[in-house]
Amino acid sequence: MENLLQVILLGIIEGVTEFLPISSTGHLLIAQHWLGRRSDLFTVAIQSGAILAVTLVYWRRLLDMALGFMRPENRDYLLKLFVALMITVVGGLGARLAGVELPESVYPVAAALIIGGFVIFAVESYVSKREPNTAISWGAAAWVGVAQVIAAVFPGTSRSAAALFAAMLAGTTSRPAAAEFAFLLAIPTMFAATAYQFLELYLEGGLATEHWGDLGVAFVVSTIVGFIAVKWLLRYIQSHSYVPFAWYRIALGLLLIAFV
């Protein structure tokens, strides 16, 4: 029973934090510091549960782009998503082959949380001086891909935050437009990461040792909670900035350094 409650709690943490700019990986690492370490497949797969949630949120947009691929605006948008995805995949695979792994200590996560908080302040200050722009440029698409690689290398950065604020700094000053691009890019990115982790575990013969029941429960929980969190965030950013998340990141980072 205790293990089930821990798994549900991890699913809730993932669902809430995946698309908020506060780092889901960082929060999962912090939670696992007390609840016990889970496999890398568990961590990546329950993130895919949250990605399934955003797929459900954006299903009309995805269907429109698929059926209307021949329309120039849809084709242009999909190609920019593809460019960002390729940069993310190549950079992420390179980091993986270089031996980059999730840290055992929470201190790197705390540092990334604090630094990311100050980055949010800077980005919001920059955007506040400019007119809203919903267009995604080729440069923005490229920088979003680079930002996702940085987030993968430094847990605590937040993949969604990195993509969001890279797009905003690159000229997409509309928060909803930047969020849509970042969230749609997360769909193939995280599903690909899960597939890679699954294949790696299969080749190593580790599938038999994975706790599939725990993974399944956490996946379902993160999907449900993620759906609620995304719907809330998309409403929130229509009229609010990301500044409260910056304060949260800094406070959490300082607490981790002080007490963990």
Side-chain angles (χ1 to χ4, degrees):
M1 186 64 178
E2 181 181 352
N3 179 66
L4 177 60
L5 291 175
Q6 291 177 356
V7 168
I8 291 173
L9 179 58
L10 290 172
I12 292 172
I13 291 171
E14 168 56 31
V16 170
T17 60
E18 178 62 40
F19 296 104
L20 302 185
I22 55 177
S23 178
S24 62
T25 302
H27 279 75
L28 286 174
L29 286 171
I30 293 166
Q32 291 178 35
H33 183 79
W34 284 281
L35 300 179
R37 186 67 181 252
R38 300 281 172 168
S39 69
D40 287 347
L41 177 62
F42 180 94
T43 301
V44 174
I46 66 170
Q47 287 176 332
S48 292
I51 301 303
L52 176 58
V54 86
T55 304
L56 298 174
V57 171
Y58 281 106
W59 73 268
R60 288 187 180 86
R61 176 72 164 124
L62 293 167
L63 185 63
D64 175 69
M65 287 192 294
L67 297 179
F69 178 76
M70 297 310 297
R71 294 206 301 271
E73 64 273 19
N74 280 349
R75 188 165 62 249
D76 179 74
Y77 197 91
L78 284 169
L79 287 173
K80 287 170 181 173
L81 282 173
F82 180 76
V83 167
L85 176 63
M86 288 300 99
I87 294 173
T88 302
V89 169
V90 172
L93 184 59
R96 187 74 180 180
L97 294 175
V100 175
E101 296 181 351
L102 296 178
E104 296 289 338
S105 168
V106 299
Y107 292 109
V109 175
L113 285 168
I114 294 170
I115 293 169
F118 285 107
V119 169
I120 293 176
F121 286 138
V123 173
E124 285 291 354
S125 176
Y126 169 83
V127 169
S128 68
K129 299 179 178 65
R130 284 157 177 78
E131 292 296 321
N133 176 31
T134 61
I136 300 289
S137 66
W138 288 101
W143 279 113
V144 167
V146 172
Q148 290 220 119
V149 175
I150 294 173
V153 173
F154 298 102
T157 302
S158 172
R159 186 180 295 100
S160 61
L164 283 168
F165 300 125
M168 291 169 70
L169 282 175
T172 309
T173 53
S174 166
R175 295 184 190 90
E180 179 183 82
F181 189 82
F183 293 170
L184 290 177
L185 177 60
I187 295 171
T189 300
M190 289 310 301
F191 283 148
T194 302
Y196 178 86
Q197 194 72 52
F198 184 88
L199 178 61
E200 188 175 61
L201 195 63
Y202 170 76
L203 294 175
E204 294 174 353
L207 294 181
T209 61
E210 187 65 37
H211 298 285
W212 296 103
D214 290 356
L215 194 154
V217 169
F219 180 91
V220 172
V221 172
S222 68
T223 300
I224 296 170
V225 176
F227 182 87
I228 297 170
V230 172
K231 297 287 280 187
W232 174 83
L233 181 64
L234 292 177
R235 287 195 301 270
Y236 175 85
I237 60 176
Q238 294 289 336
S239 56
H240 297 81
S241 76
Y242 289 105
V243 167
F245 297 107
W247 287 115
Y248 172 81
R249 291 178 64 110
I250 292 170
L252 179 60
L254 292 174
L255 285 173
L256 289 173
I257 291 173
F259 296 108
V260 176

